[in-house]
Amino acid sequence: MKKKLLMAASVFLYGLCSSAQEVNYEEYDLDNGLHVILHQDNTAPIVTTSVMYHVGGKDRTEGRTGFAHLFEHLLFEGTENIEKGKWFEIVASNGGSNNANTTQDRTYYYEVFPSNNLKLGLWMESERMLHPIIEQGGVDTQKEVVKEEKRLRYDNSPYGQFLPELGKNLFDKHPYKDPNIGYMADLDAATLADVIAYNKKYYVPNNAVLVVAGDIDLPNTKQMIKDYFGPIPKGEEIVRNYPKETPITAQKNAKAYDSNIQIPASMIAYRTPGFKEKDAYVLDMISTYLSDGPSSKLYKKMVDDQKQALQVGAFNISQEDYGMYVVFGLPVGETSLETLTTEMEEEVEKVRTSLISEKDYQKLQNKFENQFVNSNSSVEGIANSLARYYLLYGDTSLINKEIDIYRSITREDIKEVANKYLNPNQRLVLEYLPAENTAN
């Protein structure tokens, strides 16, 4: 009876995913190369206007890291027609909210407004693209903002340096070796001319996608987009030719120190393929299998049963060119980091050497079906997904069919991918230690 109920639930969920979650959209290009995606949803009087630029932390030259993150802040400074410091005030006073974020691969700006303020949202984003005011005073101000953010989120936050340390040790040549936020010495050394040149190169219509989602009228929206964004000049073609990494063929060992922690951590990391590869989707499934929830393999074994770890987990950090697959543990009591590493490797080895059970496989499929159902539950989320799938994956239709990639993954695929990327001779073992241990 249990099996029949599980099968019935799976069939129902599959049907729900196949129909109810279909996202309709229209996409086209302006003459200047700006890609436009429109999603009409008139169920609520709200609209999201967003622009994603194909520029992130990796887009830099040596000695000039962190520019994309600096621009995340700098392009709120003001424009020729928006007074300095008034951006957030204008948005809030018109019933809206806005934000921005930057990864190693892209920068995303968005506003959420009552739908009667669509014109305002489009105008503001066109102003950001066409008329930003970049001057020394604003650059200096935002450098200090970035420094404070670095102190808060990285320098003075427990375990705040573990991602930069992993990047530094996993990559030798590719810009992923440097933190997205950059090095403060690089920002201090940057000239106004450097910053202006960066803006001219990357923040151009042919390096961006505009998404408008929500309560819109399509013909009127298209006309406004043409009026506001059509006159913006096309930029020069951007050529990316980042160096390829030499495969890791022998275990790498490293140590890092953090003055904000008392409990050390053991971290195992592997260099993996970029997120467009099917193998990256398989690695998502492996991380869910190993560490998603208290019934997962790592948690049940090392936290519940053996009482060795205060916390343990595995996650796949998806990036455009290379990913990072990370397994980590924080010890309990006298448990050594070496013991944690051994026990974590034991669970990874099981995935490499034998097929996961049919029951565990079905649980994985159900979890990813559920994630898919929830992923497009808001207009704001849909706007982000449409921009990301177009700009980074080159396939907007993934918003509706990405779940089919997960559905196509077999137990044999999981074993094969684990064997391909998650071997001891392909890994970095990082001991993340309290700073006072530096003398030992």
Side-chain angles (χ1 to χ4, degrees):
M1 176 60 74
K2 273 187 177 180
K3 189 172 183 180
K4 288 182 179 179
L5 287 173
L6 181 61
M7 289 177 63
S10 298
V11 169
F12 173 75
L13 191 55
Y14 184 94
L16 185 64
C17 293
S18 299
S19 57
Q21 290 299 303
E22 185 79 14
V23 175
N24 296 313
Y25 59 90
E26 180 178 346
E27 56 184 331
Y28 60 96
D29 289 319
L30 297 184
D31 291 342
N32 58 13
L34 178 67
H35 193 74
V36 179
I37 306 176
L38 305 178
H39 166 67
Q40 186 178 29
D41 180 350
N42 302 118
T43 56
I46 59 171
V47 64
T48 296
T49 56
S50 66
V51 177
M52 185 176 286
Y53 293 90
H54 198 175
V55 58
K58 74 168 186 268
D59 296 296
R60 87 294 183 279
T61 56
E62 291 296 331
R64 291 294 183 269
T65 60
F67 272 35
H69 184 263
L70 174 66
F71 266 85
E72 176 195 321
H73 297 273
L74 185 60
L75 292 185
F76 283 106
E77 270 285 297
T79 74
E80 292 180 13
N81 297 298
I82 298 175
E83 187 180 343
K84 181 177 180 178
K86 294 293 185 180
W87 187 286
F88 293 95
E89 181 181 320
I90 292 171
V91 172
S93 64
N94 284 278
S97 61
N98 69 173
N99 213 332
N101 51 72
T102 308
T103 70
Q104 288 278 23
D105 302 307
R106 95 295 180 273
T107 303
Y108 186 59
Y109 299 92
Y110 67 94
E111 295 81 31
V112 181
F113 277 117
S115 52
N116 60 356
N117 277 325
L118 168 61
K119 186 175 183 179
L120 175 62
L122 290 172
W123 173 73
M124 294 183 78
E125 284 302 333
S126 69
E127 277 289 300
R128 194 197 308 271
M129 189 181 292
L130 179 60
H131 293 136
I133 293 179
I134 300 175
E135 56 188 11
Q136 192 65 56
V139 171
D140 291 342
T141 297
Q142 296 308 322
K143 284 182 181 180
E144 292 306 312
V145 171
V146 171
K147 288 179 182 179
E148 183 57 31
E149 180 179 344
K150 182 177 184 294
R151 285 189 285 267
L152 180 66
R153 293 178 54 189
Y154 297 90
D155 300 343
N156 298 320
S157 177
Y159 306 98
Q161 293 292 335
F162 89 87
L163 277 178
E165 288 292 336
L166 289 176
K168 180 175 73 175
N169 287 285
L170 268 183
F171 298 99
D172 299 315
K173 307 170 188 174
H174 192 280
Y176 289 157
K177 66 186 175 64
D178 299 317
N180 181 39
I181 201 168
Y183 300 110
M184 297 306 99
D186 290 351
L187 289 180
D188 286 338
T191 67
L192 181 60
D194 292 334
V195 177
I196 291 173
Y198 195 84
N199 179 75
K200 182 179 179 181
K201 180 175 181 178
Y202 291 109
Y203 297 85
V204 291
N206 48 304
N207 194 46
V209 56
L210 166 69
V211 179
V212 183
D215 183 25
I216 60 175
D217 174 84
L218 290 174
N220 289 341
T221 301
K222 289 179 181 179
Q223 186 59 54
M224 284 188 282
I225 290 171
K226 181 179 179 182
D227 292 342
Y228 285 125
F229 290 89
I232 302 175
K234 184 176 184 177
E236 296 291 329
E237 181 182 356
I238 296 169
V239 178
R240 293 177 173 87
N241 187 25
Y242 299 120
K244 305 294 185 184
E245 290 287 342
T246 303
I248 297 172
T249 57
Q251 177 175 306
K252 300 175 72 173
N253 298 289
K255 294 182 180 182
Y257 300 94
D258 188 335
S259 60
N260 302 296
I261 65 171
Q262 295 180 326
I263 300 173
S266 175
M267 298 178 182
I268 305 172
Y270 311 81
R271 193 191 305 146
T272 53
F275 49 54
K276 285 187 281 190
E277 302 292 327
K278 183 179 178 180
D279 287 353
Y281 290 90
V282 181
L283 289 162
D284 286 340
M285 276 199 157
I286 295 174
S287 64
T288 298
Y289 171 76
L290 287 175
S291 73
D292 185 25
S295 65
S296 62
K297 301 305 175 185
L298 284 171
Y299 190 95
K300 189 173 188 310
K301 170 189 172 182
M302 298 178 64
V303 177
D304 282 352
D305 295 345
Q306 298 179 181
K307 314 295 184 191
Q308 295 168 317
L310 178 67
Q311 187 176 350
V312 65
F315 53 97
N316 186 34
I317 302 174
S318 294
Q319 299 178 131
E320 189 172 20
D321 298 340
Y322 294 98
M324 295 191 293
Y325 191 87
V326 182
V327 187
F328 73 95
L330 277 65
V332 167
E334 299 301 315
T335 304
S336 68
L337 294 185
E338 183 179 1
T339 296
L340 287 185
T341 301
T342 300
E343 297 292 343
M344 291 187 293
E345 161 57 23
E346 185 178 274
E347 292 306 305
V348 175
E349 181 185 24
K350 289 178 184 177
V351 184
R352 292 197 307 266
T353 55
S354 59
L355 295 178
I356 68 172
S357 72
E358 185 62 42
K359 180 181 177 182
D360 285 332
Y361 172 74
Q362 191 57 56
K363 281 174 62 178
L364 279 176
Q365 287 290 344
N366 291 343
K367 283 184 178 182
F368 280 88
E369 297 275 3
N370 187 57
Q371 288 175 18
F372 176 73
V373 170
N374 293 327
S375 63
N376 297 320
S377 59
S378 71
V379 167
E380 186 178 327
I382 288 172
N384 188 310
S385 294
L386 287 168
R388 177 166 47 88
Y389 287 129
Y390 167 75
L391 194 77
L392 299 178
Y393 290 76
D395 186 358
T396 314
S397 69
L398 281 172
I399 195 168
N400 292 315
K401 69 182 186 183
E402 188 178 50
I403 186 60
D404 294 330
I405 299 175
Y406 289 111
R407 287 173 180 153
S408 73
I409 294 170
T410 65
R411 293 190 298 156
E412 288 77 13
D413 289 334
I414 290 171
K415 180 173 179 286
E416 180 183 339
V417 168
N419 263 301
K420 190 174 181 181
Y421 300 106
L422 307 183
N423 292 291
N425 67 316
Q426 296 170 299
R427 70 186 185 182
L428 161 72
V429 177
L430 175 68
E431 294 184 11
Y432 196 90
L433 305 168
E436 54 265 31
N437 286 0
T438 56
N440 296 334

Short mmCIF file of all heavy atoms in Angstrom, two decimals, residues 48-52 108-111 121-122 125 209-213 229 380 383-384 387:
data_model
loop_
_atom_site.label_atom_id
_atom_site.label_comp_id
_atom_site.label_asym_id
_atom_site.label_seq_id
_atom_site.Cartn_x
_atom_site.Cartn_y
_atom_site.Cartn_z
N THR A 48 7.95 43.29 -11.99
CA THR A 48 9.39 43.30 -11.75
C THR A 48 10.11 43.75 -13.01
O THR A 48 9.86 43.22 -14.10
CB THR A 48 9.90 41.90 -11.36
OG1 THR A 48 9.31 41.51 -10.12
CG2 THR A 48 11.41 41.89 -11.21
N THR A 49 10.95 44.75 -12.87
CA THR A 49 11.84 45.15 -13.96
C THR A 49 13.25 44.79 -13.53
O THR A 49 13.68 45.14 -12.43
CB THR A 49 11.74 46.66 -14.24
OG1 THR A 49 12.01 47.40 -13.04
CG2 THR A 49 10.37 47.03 -14.76
N SER A 50 13.97 44.10 -14.39
CA SER A 50 15.30 43.65 -13.98
C SER A 50 16.26 43.65 -15.17
O SER A 50 15.84 43.43 -16.31
CB SER A 50 15.24 42.24 -13.38
OG SER A 50 14.85 41.29 -14.35
N VAL A 51 17.51 43.87 -14.86
CA VAL A 51 18.57 43.78 -15.86
C VAL A 51 19.70 42.94 -15.28
O VAL A 51 20.19 43.21 -14.18
CB VAL A 51 19.11 45.17 -16.27
CG1 VAL A 51 20.26 45.02 -17.27
CG2 VAL A 51 18.00 46.03 -16.88
N MET A 52 20.09 41.93 -16.03
CA MET A 52 21.24 41.12 -15.66
C MET A 52 22.35 41.38 -16.66
O MET A 52 22.14 41.26 -17.88
CB MET A 52 20.89 39.63 -15.61
CG MET A 52 22.03 38.74 -15.12
SD MET A 52 21.56 36.98 -14.96
CE MET A 52 20.54 37.04 -13.47
N TYR A 108 23.15 41.43 -11.15
CA TYR A 108 21.70 41.50 -11.33
C TYR A 108 21.11 42.66 -10.55
O TYR A 108 21.33 42.79 -9.35
CB TYR A 108 21.08 40.19 -10.84
CG TYR A 108 19.60 40.03 -11.08
CD1 TYR A 108 19.07 40.09 -12.37
CD2 TYR A 108 18.72 39.80 -10.02
CE1 TYR A 108 17.71 39.92 -12.60
CE2 TYR A 108 17.36 39.62 -10.24
CZ TYR A 108 16.86 39.68 -11.53
OH TYR A 108 15.52 39.52 -11.76
N TYR A 109 20.38 43.52 -11.26
CA TYR A 109 19.66 44.65 -10.65
C TYR A 109 18.17 44.45 -10.90
O TYR A 109 17.76 44.04 -11.99
CB TYR A 109 20.08 45.97 -11.31
CG TYR A 109 21.54 46.32 -11.19
CD1 TYR A 109 22.45 45.95 -12.17
CD2 TYR A 109 21.99 47.07 -10.10
CE1 TYR A 109 23.79 46.29 -12.07
CE2 TYR A 109 23.34 47.42 -9.99
CZ TYR A 109 24.23 47.03 -10.98
OH TYR A 109 25.55 47.37 -10.89
N TYR A 110 17.35 44.80 -9.89
CA TYR A 110 15.91 44.65 -10.11
C TYR A 110 15.11 45.59 -9.21
O TYR A 110 15.57 46.02 -8.15
CB TYR A 110 15.46 43.21 -9.88
CG TYR A 110 15.57 42.75 -8.44
CD1 TYR A 110 14.50 42.83 -7.57
CD2 TYR A 110 16.77 42.21 -7.96
CE1 TYR A 110 14.60 42.39 -6.25
CE2 TYR A 110 16.88 41.78 -6.65
CZ TYR A 110 15.80 41.87 -5.80
OH TYR A 110 15.90 41.45 -4.50
N GLU A 111 13.91 45.89 -9.69
CA GLU A 111 12.92 46.65 -8.92
C GLU A 111 11.60 45.89 -8.95
O GLU A 111 11.27 45.25 -9.96
CB GLU A 111 12.68 48.04 -9.51
CG GLU A 111 13.87 48.98 -9.46
CD GLU A 111 14.85 48.72 -10.58
OE1 GLU A 111 14.40 48.28 -11.67
OE2 GLU A 111 16.06 48.92 -10.36
N GLY A 121 10.11 52.04 -13.45
CA GLY A 121 11.13 51.00 -13.35
C GLY A 121 11.97 50.91 -14.61
O GLY A 121 13.20 50.79 -14.55
N LEU A 122 11.32 50.97 -15.77
CA LEU A 122 12.06 50.91 -17.03
C LEU A 122 12.96 52.14 -17.20
O LEU A 122 14.11 52.02 -17.65
CB LEU A 122 11.07 50.80 -18.19
CG LEU A 122 10.32 49.47 -18.30
CD1 LEU A 122 9.24 49.56 -19.37
CD2 LEU A 122 11.29 48.33 -18.60
N GLU A 125 16.12 51.82 -14.93
CA GLU A 125 17.14 50.88 -15.42
C GLU A 125 17.80 51.39 -16.70
O GLU A 125 18.99 51.15 -16.92
CB GLU A 125 16.53 49.50 -15.63
CG GLU A 125 16.29 48.72 -14.34
CD GLU A 125 17.56 48.51 -13.52
OE1 GLU A 125 18.67 48.49 -14.10
OE2 GLU A 125 17.45 48.39 -12.29
N VAL A 209 20.60 41.40 -20.40
CA VAL A 209 19.23 40.99 -20.70
C VAL A 209 18.29 41.78 -19.80
O VAL A 209 18.54 41.94 -18.61
CB VAL A 209 19.04 39.48 -20.53
CG1 VAL A 209 19.42 39.01 -19.12
CG2 VAL A 209 17.59 39.07 -20.83
N LEU A 210 17.22 42.31 -20.39
CA LEU A 210 16.17 43.01 -19.66
C LEU A 210 14.97 42.08 -19.54
O LEU A 210 14.50 41.54 -20.55
CB LEU A 210 15.77 44.29 -20.41
CG LEU A 210 14.46 44.96 -19.96
CD1 LEU A 210 14.60 45.57 -18.57
CD2 LEU A 210 14.03 46.03 -20.98
N VAL A 211 14.51 41.88 -18.32
CA VAL A 211 13.31 41.06 -18.10
C VAL A 211 12.25 41.93 -17.44
O VAL A 211 12.52 42.62 -16.45
CB VAL A 211 13.61 39.83 -17.22
CG1 VAL A 211 12.33 39.03 -16.99
CG2 VAL A 211 14.66 38.94 -17.87
N VAL A 212 11.05 41.88 -17.99
CA VAL A 212 9.89 42.54 -17.37
C VAL A 212 8.85 41.46 -17.13
O VAL A 212 8.43 40.77 -18.07
CB VAL A 212 9.31 43.65 -18.27
CG1 VAL A 212 8.16 44.35 -17.56
CG2 VAL A 212 10.38 44.65 -18.65
N ALA A 213 8.46 41.28 -15.90
CA ALA A 213 7.54 40.19 -15.54
C ALA A 213 6.46 40.70 -14.62
O ALA A 213 6.72 41.46 -13.68
CB ALA A 213 8.32 39.06 -14.86
N PHE A 229 15.22 52.13 -24.01
CA PHE A 229 16.46 51.38 -24.18
C PHE A 229 16.97 51.40 -25.62
O PHE A 229 18.16 51.17 -25.84
CB PHE A 229 16.27 49.92 -23.73
CG PHE A 229 16.12 49.76 -22.25
CD1 PHE A 229 14.87 49.83 -21.65
CD2 PHE A 229 17.23 49.56 -21.45
CE1 PHE A 229 14.73 49.68 -20.27
CE2 PHE A 229 17.10 49.40 -20.07
CZ PHE A 229 15.84 49.47 -19.49
N GLU A 380 8.80 37.77 -9.08
CA GLU A 380 10.18 38.17 -8.86
C GLU A 380 11.14 37.02 -9.14
O GLU A 380 12.18 37.19 -9.78
CB GLU A 380 10.34 38.66 -7.41
CG GLU A 380 11.68 39.25 -7.09
CD GLU A 380 11.74 39.76 -5.65
OE1 GLU A 380 10.69 40.23 -5.14
OE2 GLU A 380 12.82 39.67 -5.05
N ALA A 383 11.34 36.33 -12.94
CA ALA A 383 12.19 37.30 -13.63
C ALA A 383 13.66 36.92 -13.51
O ALA A 383 14.41 36.94 -14.50
CB ALA A 383 11.95 38.70 -13.08
N ASN A 384 14.07 36.55 -12.31
CA ASN A 384 15.47 36.15 -12.09
C ASN A 384 15.82 34.91 -12.90
O ASN A 384 16.86 34.85 -13.55
CB ASN A 384 15.68 35.89 -10.59
CG ASN A 384 17.14 35.65 -10.24
OD1 ASN A 384 17.81 34.85 -10.85
ND2 ASN A 384 17.62 36.35 -9.22
N ALA A 387 16.15 35.63 -16.70
CA ALA A 387 17.40 36.32 -16.99
C ALA A 387 18.58 35.36 -16.92
O ALA A 387 19.45 35.35 -17.80
CB ALA A 387 17.60 37.48 -16.02
#
